[in-house]
Amino acid sequence: MTKKNKETIAMKWSYSPALESKDHINLREKYDLFINGKWMKPSSGKYFKTFNPADESFLAEVAHADAKDVDKAVQAARDAYNNVWSKISPSERAKYIYRIARLMQERAREFAVIETLDAGKTIRESRDVDVPLACNHFFYYAGWADKLDYAFPNRKVSSLGVAGQIIPWNFPLLMAAWKIAPALAAGNTVVLKPAETTPLTALKLAEIIEESGLPAGVVNIVTGFGDTGAAIVNHPDTDKIAFTGSTNVGKMIQKSLAGTNKKITLELGGKSANIIFEDAPIDQAVEGIINGIFFNQGHVCCAGSRLFVQESIADVVIRKLKDRMRSLFVGNPLDKNTDIGAINSKEQLATILKYINIGKEEGAEIFQLACDIPDKGYYCPPTLFTNVAQSSVIAQEEIFGPVLTIQTFRTVDEVIQKANNSPFGLAAGVWTDKGSRIFNLTTKLKAGVIWANTYNKFDPSSPFGGYKESGFGREGGLHGLSAYVKLS
Ligand code: NAI
Ligand code: MG
């Protein structure tokens, strides 16, 4: 440990370490591909390693699927679709989905610990947010499986076929749930690829799916890198592609699917505005700002990464924000006291540090929590920038780390104009005592999700998704179900 600033550290409470135990988890040393209900070796014989970003320790070897393996997985999904899944009754489908939800719930602690080990996110979040929400998505969509005619009244509802799904590393299990649950409920079969730095909870989910007795081939999990994802996208026999990840890869996918019949949903980046008016409850707003950007180390596509504060309260908000930042704990994600865990990978840390340097060079004023940081692993202290110009790179580009930019505003029209001046349009937050102002802003902000007097709250029944370069299509709720059906 390096002592950076004794004064700041002394201001905090001190807690004894409260590490979540790893004794109860069951990890294999080597994972094969889950295809057609069996564990299959990759045809190339190649495996890659996944690490714990909190201390760079090795966790497991994971198969690298190539186009041949993806072809087997798509074939298995097609056969399962034709022969089983499209034929059984919707209420039978629901039973399997409920069973998966219950098995996940029974093993919630194991999922939470593995998620924290593989992704670097705090155990508090994986235990209280990721895993319960993932279970809830399965429960929620299980409920729709035999009610599709009520979900889309007066329409003929049919499934699409085989869904190819590619997910990122920021919410590995939750993104798998967001993708798999509605696809199955609507009667589709699935080939899913988790991100290369966080494959383990999706593979754990494969074990649960095996245990649930879901017919072979209905869900196939293939691990690998971008080439594996591209093989899923470009396979001629997938009917739908759902992707969550970077805007660059999303654009590539959209190009390669142009002119095909495949249905597509893209959930990409963001640079969301969190807007605080002078009549807002300031202490709650400060908590909302902290939760909006430092939650999950800022690895959140809808992170409230641009803060807009009304000028009359800017000084007090910034002072309170800095005070609150001084009380945050950065460190071992398995410790229940930790507020900010590890950055997901060395590459992502390099990206974040690059942006912090750009911010300094652009002349913005930096405030960073001075804190102890473990010697090994990838960490970034919570950081905020004031004096940020609207045109600056740090206010325009997605950083995907615990870095907040602060700008001030005087009038409602000014803040709407500034908030919308972004290539992205995923989410926004509005903090004010006035209901009419909330409604005014929700109609004028170009963002898919707008929170009022809260931030980063999710529920399986609420749709989520963006405008502009944040992608299109919605996940969650009925909207999320409609992305997996054909209506006539
Ligand atoms: P990425 O977009 O490369 O990775 C997301 C997923 O896509 C992974 O499973 C990856 O293996 C797969 N993939 C990569 N190339 C592909 C291709 N050509 N075809 C099909 N699948 C492909 O994201 P990356 O490089 O990990 O992160 C870069 C930046 O993207 C981050 O700094 C952040 O700004 C943004 N990002 C946004 C996310 C979101 O939730 N919207 C999630 C992760 C990253
Ligand atoms: Mg990992």
Side-chain angles (χ1 to χ4, degrees), residues 50-51 118 197:
T50 184
F51 296 93
D118 205 14
T197 55

Side-chain angles (χ1 to χ4, degrees), residues 100-310:
I100 294 169
R102 282 196 302 271
L103 286 166
M104 276 175 80
Q105 230 172 13
E106 278 169 20
R107 286 159 70 174
R109 258 183 89 197
E110 187 182 10
F111 270 108
V113 171
I114 294 175
E115 197 74 305
T116 286
L117 290 174
D118 205 14
K121 61 172 57 201
T122 63
I123 187 69
R124 252 191 4 221
E125 277 157 19
S126 42
R127 182 195 63 196
D128 298 347
V129 180
D130 296 63
V131 177
L133 265 178
C135 296
N136 284 349
H137 268 83
F138 278 98
F139 278 120
Y140 173 79
Y141 280 111
W144 276 123
D146 60 353
K147 301 174 195 71
L148 296 180
D149 291 338
Y150 299 95
F152 308 102
N154 304 319
R155 308 290 295 272
K156 188 174 173 302
V157 188
S158 40
S159 49
L160 300 172
V162 177
Q165 308 181 320
I166 297 153
I167 57 171
W169 41 262
N170 54 343
F171 292 90
L173 180 69
L174 184 58
M175 289 302 108
W178 278 29
K179 299 261 182 301
I180 296 174
L184 296 190
N188 306 281
T189 57
V190 164
V191 176
L192 175 123
K193 189 196 89 66
E196 50 270 40
T197 55
T198 55
L200 295 180
T201 44
L203 292 163
K204 262 293 155 209
L205 180 58
E207 287 180 8
I208 274 188
I209 285 170
E210 207 179 2
E211 209 177 314
S212 76
L214 187 78
V218 173
V219 172
N220 305 275
I221 311 270
V222 291
T223 43
F225 293 74
D227 59 324
T228 316
I232 296 176
V233 170
N234 297 319
H235 196 288
D237 203 25
T238 46
D239 300 294
K240 147 103 191 177
I241 296 294
F243 171 80
T244 300
S246 63
T247 298
N248 280 345
V249 174
K251 283 181 180 168
M252 274 161 54
I253 291 178
Q254 201 178 0
K255 269 189 202 145
S256 53
L257 293 185
T260 71
N261 254 340
K262 295 186 194 187
K263 217 169 162 170
I264 165 171
T265 38
L266 300 175
E267 204 264 277
L268 310 174
K271 191 76 183 174
S272 300
N274 205 355
I275 303 169
I276 322 288
F277 286 94
E278 60 190 0
D279 61 346
I282 292 186
D283 291 334
Q284 284 96 319
V286 166
E287 279 309 304
I289 299 164
I290 296 271
N291 182 42
I293 182 65
F294 300 138
F295 167 58
N296 199 19
Q297 297 66 248
H299 297 338
V300 184
C301 45
C302 53
S305 51
R306 288 185 299 154
L307 177 64
F308 292 97
V309 189
Q310 202 155 20

Side-chain angles (χ1 to χ4, degrees), residues 16 33 41 50 77 123 141 158 180 203 213 230 232 274 315-316 332-333 348 360 405 411 415:
S16 308
L33 306 165
K41 302 213 171 309
T50 184
I123 187 69
Y141 280 111
S158 40
I180 296 174
L203 292 163
I232 296 176
N274 205 355
D315 288 347
V316 58
N332 187 348
Q348 189 59 28
K360 288 184 197 160
T405 62
T411 66
V415 77

